[in-house]
Amino acid sequence: MHDPEASIRNTLCLKRLRAIIAFLELVSVYPEVNETKHSKAHGLELMSSFKHVQKCFTNVEAHAKLNAFITLADRGTLQDRAQDVDDQKGTDGLLKGKLVAVKDNICTSDLPTTAGSYMLKNFKSPYDATVVRKLRDNGTIIAGKTNLDEFGMGSHSTFSHFGAVKNPKNQQTHQASSAGGSSGGSAVAVATDQCWASLGTDTGGSVRLPAAYTGMVGFKPSYGLISRWGVIAYANSLDTVGILAKTTHITRHVFHALNSHDHQDPTSLRPSIRHRIATSPSLHPRSPLRIGIPAQYNIHELAPAVRTAWHRTLARLRSLGHTLHAVSLPTTPAALAAYYVLAPAEASSNLAKYDGVRYGTRTSSSNGGGGGGDAEGGVLYAATRGAGFGPEVRRRIVLGAYTLSAEARGNYFLQAQRVRRRVQDDFDRVLRAANPLRVGGAEPVEGVEEAMSEVVQGAEDEVEEGEGVDLVVCPTAPGPPPALEPLKGQSPVEAYTNDVFTVPASLAGLPAISVPVPNAAGKSDDRDAFPFVGMQIIGQFGSDELVLDVAQALEEHIAEEQG
């Protein structure tokens, strides 16, 4: 005879069992989730530092063909350091004894710093960058230096003197895919467990794009929060040290370790501004939040799978109690062009010192001939720079030098600066929190002319004047990672369009994070489909904690769905 109560008990037991299995699987994949305020109460222990280093180096050997690292630290030395950490009883902190990789344009005193270029192939810094020193002070172990586009110039990590980085995902296809750039090596190292977390640099999306392509979390903080001292400059007004990790939880811990004023960096935010950010109620709003959906990001070129993932991400945020509102960022279409005027202009100035005399590897021949390279007419410089720089760096130097020339400065560089200011004004108008860098605060939000019903069904009415939104949510990239082989025939302009969604936040100096969300197309029979899509969350300047909070809530919500 059927017993209804027994059936209910069995169902409940089955659900509990599934929940326990899901939790154990989560712990096995992400052992760092144990490090919470309740971890000691549950008696959960993290993997020892020695075993952690051994596991990472096993993965380094297994994934050597992906070319994630340019230089690796000595394995024996790292194991000794890890053993020392394990021997120190009572050491606290999630970063203690963890292996962290560093992008090879960030200086380290014990490892070469090449910036992915032949020009710096023999360079070894006499000092650590501030971010590296802070990592060491927090007990982390530097695993090595990761591969990148030369001097950070590229979107696919293919313009490296040491070879292209390959995406570890979608390995069932015969064609290698892009890992994104320029911090592709840092993203791949984390994605394949060759390290626990990694540092990259984000100038126009160079942390967020690789994160989107490899299914990682990629965070670009507000400009000036993390020190740039010891980072080889590409574009000073845009360069930001970013963080790549598997979870927002790890990302937040690394960010907290690095977020402090540095008197050696003139662009580091002063303590007074940091205090203003920490005490501003508008930068730390309570739920429910107002989520902005930018109409200009719903472009025709957006891949259907990305658009669907965007829809579902917005639906998830609404299910968490937040409200959705269409917003307009009218200068967005011009942002990419402005970026590719401003960034090369700064790069042409920054890279002028690499001439083989002051800095850089000097060629042994002059203009391809014999001799010592000291021919008349400055041929030494030409030969050294021609041999030392790759094609993309040479292209951007020439472009930047032209836009700064007397002939073109007014038509290009100054116009691009005006566009940049308008991009900042757009965000300040849409985001309801006042920009702490502006004394008078941001202007009130104007009405949005038409709702963006194409993006999400059931979105609330357009933003009312004076209300604004707390965050803007949009895709990180317009499509999935492209195959590497076709990229060889791609024009530079086509490659530059990859940064269309990431550049605006960089121009405005705003915090932005890319979070992986499920790709519905990945469940189909299409073997080229990737299992994730990068979704970007952008906040007002200084609202880094809010951006991380929402990213973590979204991440946890997705984990519950899949559990």
Side-chain angles (χ1 to χ4, degrees), residues 284-322:
H284 309 278
R286 296 181 179 180
S287 293
L289 302 175
R290 295 172 61 86
I291 306 296
I293 310 165
Q296 287 75 16
Y297 287 60
N298 189 32
I299 59 177
H300 175 72
E301 295 82 3
L302 196 63
V306 175
R307 182 176 280 108
T308 300
W310 190 10
H311 294 181
R312 294 186 177 185
T313 299
L314 295 170
R316 290 184 182 100
L317 290 171
R318 188 166 52 186
S319 71
L320 291 173
H322 307 307

Side-chain angles (χ1 to χ4, degrees), residues 217-221 225 243 247-256 259 471 511-515 537-539 543-556:
V217 174
F219 179 49
K220 182 197 86 69
L225 281 184
I243 302 157
T247 67
T248 308
H249 178 69
I250 296 175
T251 304
R252 190 193 299 271
H253 275 271
V254 178
F255 172 61
H256 288 169
N259 180 18
L471 298 166
I513 190 168
S514 179
V515 183
I537 302 169
I538 305 172
S543 62
D544 300 63
E545 291 296 339
L546 176 63
V547 168
L548 290 168
D549 286 343
V550 174
Q552 186 162 349
L554 180 61
E555 189 180 89
E556 292 170 353

Side-chain angles (χ1 to χ4, degrees), residues 62-143:
H63 298 289
K65 292 183 178 180
L66 299 179
N67 205 25
F69 281 92
I70 291 177
T71 307
L72 278 167
D74 177 68
R75 180 171 182 170
T77 302
L78 297 191
Q79 287 178 334
D80 290 343
R81 292 177 185 172
Q83 189 62 60
D84 290 341
V85 172
D86 290 337
D87 292 341
Q88 296 171 8
K89 296 181 180 180
T91 55
D92 296 322
L94 186 62
L95 276 64
K96 285 280 188 181
K98 294 295 192 300
L99 231 57
V100 175
V102 177
K103 189 176 179 179
D104 204 22
N105 62 346
I106 301 175
C107 289
T108 49
S109 58
D110 55 345
L111 296 169
T113 302
T114 69
S117 177
Y118 176 84
M119 182 66 79
L120 291 176
K121 66 173 185 175
N122 298 319
F123 175 67
K124 190 170 182 180
S125 171
Y127 59 85
D128 283 334
T130 296
V131 289
V132 174
R133 177 176 56 79
K134 288 183 178 293
L135 286 176
R136 295 192 199 273
D137 290 345
N138 279 272
T140 63
I141 302 170
I142 304 302

